[in-house]
Amino acid sequence: MLAGKRILLVIAGGIAAYKSLDLIRRLRERGADVRCILTAAGAEFVTPLSVQTLSRNTVFRDLFSLTDESEIGHIRLARDCDLVVVAPATADIMAKLAAGFASDLATTCLLATDRPILLAPAMNFVMWGQPATQANLATLTGRGVRIVGPASGALAEGEIGAGRMSEPLEIVAAIEAILDAGPLKDRRALVTSGPTYEPIDPVRFIGNRSSGKQGHAIAAALAALGADTTLVTGPTQVPDPPGVRVVRIETAEQMLAACRAALPADVAVCAAAVADWRPVATAGQKIKKKEGAAAPAIALTENPDILATLSKPGATRPRLVVGFAAETENVVANAQAKRTRKGCDWILANDVSTGSGTFGGDDNTIQVVDASGVEAWSRMSKDDVARRLAARIAAALA
Ligand code: C5P
């Protein structure tokens, strides 16, 4: 898929640099020409010889050996490629890129390039969470820099958290998504995810246990196929999917307004667990417990049904509207009835009964109900469900 593509890979100084050697191999396997810049700190982790041998190209390390233009100018190095990838992207190189430094060959090329830039951040989770790093990240994404990862998990120091560099094949997928625009190029996608919080008073709310894992994975999978994707999400702990516009809301009414603002879209996938009811009134102050008084009654009113609203025939109805049905019994029959009632095109039905492990878990067992019948998918990870759904959507919109 990457045949003939030229990638400039900047390897900065982090322990994850060892994965970049495998990344070079994976890119070359797919036909890409890989040129590498190894920073001084990067060379403390992997050797120039390894990088050179795997890339089968000269390794570039020194700005001043390039400025005499005897070999290749740094401006040419920065532009003579289809994409610049920084892996690992350390907190330091992200800060320099955000601030516009050109203090060595890597930062000079990053400032001089007019090609898309993809960063694969890798650092300790505290460094990743620092306001400074997050502000730099926001600056960079705001300028169109693409990000893949970082993943959560065990870090080299023995700590656990967000900061692991994405695996080489995930970085390859992100590169392919950027370079090969994918089957959903020119399509707009809208995805809802997570729970909604319906306030009772300033400190209490009605919510639910939705993790947002499935909805976020779907947004990532649609973006990976090239769709211009907006994710409208309630409060979740899941990291923002790469390359996706994320709109954060709390209530169902805010979610509906954000969805309307994201239209027109070619496809809408409603994976959010929207609260069916909200308190009629939200108390302005925290409701106090009074000695001997009865517990307060909370009057509820129905929330808007976002899936049904998006499914209504009209000029702004997405061509394809997909909903979920979380059921604890009669899964398919209930999903079929729900599809008709809501007016959507497909329902992905899943069993969330106690013991199914679906809510908050990493796996899902899906049955797709559409006008032509039922398609049963074997149990798979939520990421695989997302990829399979994105592929089905791409086929339907083709
Ligand atoms: O009616 P029920 O909640 O079972 O339907 C589930 C589907 O409807 C999901 O796709 C969910 O995202 C969507 N939904 C919605 N707005 C609501 C309630 C559910 O979009 N208020």
Side-chain angles (χ1 to χ4, degrees), residues 24-43:
I24 298 171
R25 213 169 53 88
R26 303 289 187 174
L27 292 170
R28 281 198 47 85
E29 270 170 12
R30 286 161 178 75
D33 178 44
V34 187
R35 267 187 189 158
C36 297
I37 295 177
L38 188 59
T39 67

Side-chain angles (χ1 to χ4, degrees), residues 134-372:
Q134 291 299 310
N136 290 332
L137 177 71
T139 301
L140 294 170
T141 53
R143 290 184 197 145
V145 171
R146 318 288 187 95
I147 310 288
V148 53
S152 287
L155 303 171
E157 316 82 283
E159 294 180 306
I160 294 177
R164 276 170 69 95
M165 187 168 90
S166 294
E167 295 306 317
L169 286 180
E170 288 167 339
I171 301 176
V172 167
I175 292 171
E176 285 174 341
I178 295 169
L179 293 181
D180 172 81
L184 288 174
K185 168 177 172 267
D186 302 329
R187 304 284 187 200
R188 284 170 61 95
L190 166 64
V191 180
T192 71
S193 184
T196 65
Y197 284 2
E198 309 295 336
I200 297 168
D201 66 17
V203 297
R204 303 182 180 94
F205 59 84
I206 297 173
N208 62 70
R209 295 186 199 282
S210 167
S211 64
K213 282 182 186 166
Q214 187 63 81
H216 279 54
I218 292 167
L222 290 168
L225 295 188
D228 176 352
T229 307
T230 301
L231 173 67
V232 180
T233 178
T236 71
Q237 301 296 319
V238 197
D240 287 356
V244 168
R245 194 177 305 107
V246 180
V247 182
R248 286 186 187 75
I249 51 79
E250 289 209 335
T251 69
E253 288 180 302
Q254 291 164 354
M255 182 172 271
L256 178 59
C259 287
R260 283 204 164 113
L263 294 176
D266 298 283
V267 55
V269 181
C270 293
V274 184
D276 289 316
W277 302 281
R278 67 177 181 276
V280 173
T282 302
Q285 305 297 330
K286 184 182 171 196
I287 301 169
K288 293 279 187 206
K289 195 161 64 178
K290 285 191 202 90
E291 199 69 30
I298 301 169
L300 299 175
T301 182
E302 205 168 317
N303 260 332
D305 190 310
I306 294 156
L307 176 61
T309 308
L310 294 174
S311 299
K312 280 207 185 93
T316 58
R317 186 194 194 277
R319 246 174 77 195
L320 191 60
V321 183
V322 182
F324 273 77
E327 302 290 347
T328 55
E329 57 181 356
N330 303 326
V331 175
V332 169
N334 284 339
Q336 275 162 333
K338 190 163 292 180
R339 194 183 84 84
T340 316
R341 198 167 64 242
K342 305 240 187 187
C344 61
D345 302 294
W346 305 347
I347 285 271
L348 270 63
N350 55 359
D351 183 353
V352 293
S353 53
T354 317
S356 70
T358 301
F359 245 45
D362 289 324
D363 292 339
N364 216 341
T365 310
I366 295 286
Q367 311 205 56
V368 185
V369 175
D370 65 14
S372 61

Side-chain angles (χ1 to χ4, degrees), residues 31 37 45-46 50 52 93 97 230 265 272 282 365 373 397:
I37 295 177
F45 291 91
V46 292
S50 308
Q52 182 145 315
I93 205 163
L97 182 55
T230 301
T282 302
T365 310
L397 293 179

Side-chain angles (χ1 to χ4, degrees), residues 362-398:
D362 289 324
D363 292 339
N364 216 341
T365 310
I366 295 286
Q367 311 205 56
V368 185
V369 175
D370 65 14
S372 61
V374 183
E375 187 179 293
W377 294 356
S378 54
R379 188 161 184 82
M380 58 180 91
S381 73
K382 289 182 178 176
D383 284 338
D384 284 340
V385 167
R387 281 189 278 266
R388 185 148 175 192
L389 174 62
R392 201 180 200 265
I393 289 169
L397 293 179

